[in-house]
Amino acid sequence: MFRELIRKNKELSREECIRLLETEKRGVLSVNGDDNYPYGMPMNHWYNAEDGKIYFHCGNEGHRLDALKKSSKVSFCAYDEGYRNPGQWPLHVKSVIVFGTIEILDDPDSIVDITTKLSHKFTQDEAYIKAEIEQHAHRTLLLALTPEHICGKLVKES
Protein backbone atom coordinates (compact mmCIF):
# COMPACT_ATOMS: atom_id res chain seq x y z
CA MET A 1 0.00 0.00 0.00
CA PHE A 2 2.83 2.41 0.83
CA ARG A 3 5.58 3.04 -1.65
CA GLU A 4 9.12 1.94 -0.99
CA LEU A 5 12.02 4.32 -1.40
CA ILE A 6 13.56 4.17 -4.84
CA ARG A 7 17.06 5.08 -3.66
CA LYS A 8 17.57 2.38 -1.04
CA ASN A 9 21.10 3.60 -0.32
CA LYS A 10 19.58 6.77 1.19
CA GLU A 11 17.09 4.94 3.41
CA LEU A 12 17.29 5.36 7.20
CA SER A 13 16.79 2.40 9.50
CA ARG A 14 13.67 2.17 11.62
CA GLU A 15 15.81 3.00 14.66
CA GLU A 16 17.13 6.19 13.01
CA CYS A 17 13.58 7.22 12.11
CA ILE A 18 12.42 6.76 15.70
CA ARG A 19 15.44 8.68 17.01
CA LEU A 20 14.52 11.62 14.76
CA LEU A 21 10.93 11.52 16.01
CA GLU A 22 12.16 11.44 19.60
CA THR A 23 14.72 14.22 19.32
CA GLU A 24 13.40 16.72 16.80
CA LYS A 25 11.00 19.26 18.24
CA ARG A 26 8.95 20.13 15.19
CA GLY A 27 7.63 18.80 11.95
CA VAL A 28 4.85 19.38 9.45
CA LEU A 29 1.50 17.65 9.93
CA SER A 30 -0.51 17.39 6.72
CA VAL A 31 -4.24 16.72 6.65
CA ASN A 32 -6.89 16.50 3.94
CA GLY A 33 -8.13 20.09 4.03
CA ASP A 34 -10.94 22.07 2.46
CA ASP A 35 -11.92 21.13 -1.12
CA ASN A 36 -9.39 18.25 -1.02
CA TYR A 37 -6.41 20.60 -0.81
CA PRO A 38 -3.61 19.32 1.41
CA TYR A 39 -3.23 21.44 4.53
CA GLY A 40 0.16 21.25 6.20
CA MET A 41 1.14 23.11 9.34
CA PRO A 42 4.24 23.14 11.54
CA MET A 43 3.59 21.30 14.79
CA ASN A 44 5.44 20.47 17.98
CA HIS A 45 5.24 16.76 18.72
CA TRP A 46 6.12 14.13 21.29
CA TYR A 47 6.90 10.54 20.34
CA ASN A 48 5.82 7.99 22.95
CA ALA A 49 8.14 4.98 22.82
CA GLU A 50 5.73 2.97 24.98
CA ASP A 51 2.79 2.99 22.56
CA GLY A 52 4.59 4.05 19.35
CA LYS A 53 2.25 7.01 18.84
CA ILE A 54 3.08 10.62 18.07
CA TYR A 55 1.17 13.22 20.07
CA PHE A 56 0.33 16.82 19.24
CA HIS A 57 -1.72 19.39 21.09
CA CYS A 58 -4.18 21.74 19.44
CA GLY A 59 -7.04 24.08 20.17
CA ASN A 60 -10.61 22.89 20.17
CA GLU A 61 -11.58 24.53 16.86
CA GLY A 62 -10.10 25.45 13.49
CA HIS A 63 -9.20 24.25 10.01
CA ARG A 64 -6.97 21.37 11.18
CA LEU A 65 -9.60 19.98 13.55
CA ASP A 66 -12.38 20.32 10.97
CA ALA A 67 -10.24 18.42 8.45
CA LEU A 68 -9.47 15.65 10.96
CA LYS A 69 -13.15 15.19 11.73
CA LYS A 70 -13.72 14.50 8.01
CA SER A 71 -10.67 12.28 7.48
CA SER A 72 -8.32 10.86 10.07
CA LYS A 73 -5.62 10.02 7.49
CA VAL A 74 -2.51 12.20 7.79
CA SER A 75 1.18 12.40 7.07
CA PHE A 76 3.80 13.91 9.33
CA CYS A 77 7.31 14.91 8.28
CA ALA A 78 10.11 15.73 10.71
CA TYR A 79 13.70 16.52 9.77
CA ASP A 80 16.94 17.48 11.43
CA GLU A 81 19.11 20.60 11.00
CA GLY A 82 21.52 18.69 8.82
CA TYR A 83 25.29 18.85 8.58
CA ARG A 84 27.96 19.90 6.11
CA ASN A 85 31.15 18.03 5.45
CA PRO A 86 34.23 20.21 6.06
CA GLY A 87 35.01 22.42 3.06
CA GLN A 88 31.76 21.54 1.24
CA TRP A 89 28.54 23.53 0.82
CA PRO A 90 25.88 20.81 0.40
CA LEU A 91 23.70 20.20 3.43
CA HIS A 92 22.97 16.59 4.40
CA VAL A 93 19.51 16.29 5.98
CA LYS A 94 17.79 13.32 7.60
CA SER A 95 14.01 13.25 7.37
CA VAL A 96 11.26 10.88 8.39
CA ILE A 97 7.72 10.67 7.05
CA VAL A 98 4.95 8.98 8.99
CA PHE A 99 1.66 7.94 7.42
CA GLY A 100 -1.18 7.04 9.72
CA THR A 101 -4.43 7.98 11.35
CA ILE A 102 -5.19 10.48 14.08
CA GLU A 103 -7.52 10.08 16.99
CA ILE A 104 -8.76 13.23 18.75
CA LEU A 105 -8.50 12.93 22.54
CA ASP A 106 -10.22 15.18 25.07
CA ASP A 107 -9.41 13.37 28.33
CA PRO A 108 -8.16 16.05 30.80
CA ASP A 109 -5.67 13.73 32.55
CA SER A 110 -4.12 12.65 29.24
CA ILE A 111 -3.92 16.27 28.09
CA VAL A 112 -1.99 17.28 31.21
CA ASP A 113 0.29 14.23 31.04
CA ILE A 114 1.17 14.46 27.35
CA THR A 115 1.47 18.25 27.15
CA THR A 116 3.82 18.13 30.16
CA LYS A 117 6.02 15.58 28.39
CA LEU A 118 5.91 17.60 25.19
CA SER A 119 6.83 20.77 27.08
CA HIS A 120 9.95 19.09 28.47
CA LYS A 121 11.35 18.99 24.92
CA PHE A 122 11.56 22.79 25.13
CA THR A 123 12.16 23.67 28.78
CA GLN A 124 12.75 22.13 32.18
CA ASP A 125 11.11 25.10 33.91
CA GLU A 126 8.45 23.23 35.89
CA ALA A 127 6.75 26.41 37.14
CA TYR A 128 6.36 27.70 33.58
CA ILE A 129 5.01 24.37 32.33
CA LYS A 130 2.53 24.11 35.20
CA ALA A 131 1.29 27.67 34.66
CA GLU A 132 0.85 27.14 30.90
CA ILE A 133 -1.08 23.93 31.43
CA GLU A 134 -3.28 25.46 34.12
CA GLN A 135 -4.05 28.38 31.83
CA HIS A 136 -4.64 26.49 28.57
CA ALA A 137 -5.46 22.80 29.24
CA HIS A 138 -9.20 23.42 29.48
CA ARG A 139 -9.28 24.47 25.82
CA THR A 140 -6.72 21.99 24.52
CA LEU A 141 -7.16 18.71 22.69
CA LEU A 142 -4.64 15.99 21.97
CA LEU A 143 -4.06 14.41 18.60
CA ALA A 144 -2.70 10.86 18.75
CA LEU A 145 -1.11 9.72 15.48
CA THR A 146 -0.98 5.94 15.11
CA PRO A 147 1.67 5.18 12.48
CA GLU A 148 0.82 2.79 9.67
CA HIS A 149 4.07 3.38 7.77
CA ILE A 150 7.32 5.10 8.74
CA CYS A 151 10.17 5.77 6.34
CA GLY A 152 13.18 8.03 6.38
CA LYS A 153 16.12 9.03 4.27
CA LEU A 154 19.31 11.05 4.17
CA VAL A 155 19.40 13.57 1.34
CA LYS A 156 22.25 15.74 0.10
CA GLU A 157 21.50 19.13 -1.39
CA SER A 158 22.95 19.54 -4.86
Side-chain angles (χ1 to χ4, degrees), residues 25 115-126 129:
K25 296 177 180 174
T115 55
T116 299
K117 291 172 179 171
L118 173 59
S119 297
H120 282 126
K121 288 179 84 170
F122 297 91
T123 182
Q124 298 306 310
D125 184 339
E126 297 297 332
I129 293 171

Side-chain angles (χ1 to χ4, degrees), residues 5 7 10 18-19 41-42 47 58 62-64 78 84 97 113-114 118 122 126-127 131 142 147 151:
L5 288 178
R7 298 182 67 192
K10 304 292 183 187
I18 298 304
R19 186 196 61 73
M41 73 282 323
Y47 176 81
C58 70
H63 188 173
R64 171 185 42 233
R84 287 188 170 82
I97 297 179
D113 179 50
I114 299 297
L118 173 59
F122 297 91
E126 297 297 332
L142 286 178
C151 61

Side-chain angles (χ1 to χ4, degrees), residues 67-111:
L68 289 170
K69 288 176 181 176
K70 291 179 190 172
S71 174
S72 63
K73 291 183 178 183
V74 301
S75 69
F76 178 66
C77 176
Y79 52 93
D80 68 10
E81 293 183 22
Y83 66 89
R84 287 188 170 82
N85 289 327
Q88 296 181 356
W89 69 266
L91 189 63
H92 301 260
V93 177
K94 291 180 181 178
S95 65
V96 60
I97 297 179
V98 179
F99 296 92
T101 56
I102 282 198
E103 178 183 4
I104 301 166
L105 307 174
D106 61 2
D107 172 61
D109 292 335
S110 295
I111 290 169

